[in-house]
């Protein structure tokens, strides 16, 4: 008998995503969600408790950080929007 697959509601899903030499678009990160970017990420929204890490050689375009969202950037970031309580650190 095959194991039963149980769908996870999107609002409860934790995203732990690694983007290497490829592209992601429209990712939404919430509590516990982490995206590590070596490639190109566009249109990412980081909500309370989420984190976007852009490594050297990576690029984030159209990054939105809401209250409690965190972005750590060693690569390139453009078109970033930071709401009150959101944090982006660029090195």
């Amino acid at each position: 008998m095959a194991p039963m697959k149980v769908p996870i509601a999107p609002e409860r899903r934790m995203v732990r995503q690694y983007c290497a030499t490829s592209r992601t678009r429209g990712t939404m990160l919430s509590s516990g969600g982490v995206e590590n970017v070596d490639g190109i990420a566009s249109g990412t929204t980081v909500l309370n408790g989420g984190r976007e890490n852009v490594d050297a050689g990576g690029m984030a375009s159209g990054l939105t950080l809401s209250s409690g969202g965190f972005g750590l950037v060693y690569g390139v970031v453009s078109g970033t929007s930071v709401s009150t309580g959101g944090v982006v650190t660029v090195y």
Side-chain angles (χ1 to χ4, degrees):
M1 179 181 266
M4 190 168 101
K5 293 182 180 180
V6 178
I8 299 173
E11 65 275 4
R12 296 180 179 257
R13 180 176 44 185
M14 262 201 255
V15 175
R16 291 191 185 273
Q17 182 166 311
Y18 180 72
C19 170
T21 67
S22 61
R23 296 179 178 208
T24 63
R25 187 180 331 163
T27 304
M28 184 172 289
L29 306 169
S30 59
S31 183
V34 178
E35 182 175 52
N36 296 309
V37 180
D38 278 339
I40 299 171
S42 64
T44 301
T45 301
V46 184
L47 304 172
N48 188 22
R51 188 175 75 210
E52 171 97 339
N53 299 320
V54 182
D55 299 327
M59 179 179 161
S61 170
L63 177 61
T64 301
L65 296 159
S66 296
S67 179
F70 182 72
L72 182 61
V73 180
Y74 288 93
V76 177
V77 65
S78 68
T80 300
S81 170
V82 182
S83 298
T84 302
V87 177
V88 64
T89 304
V90 181
Y91 293 95

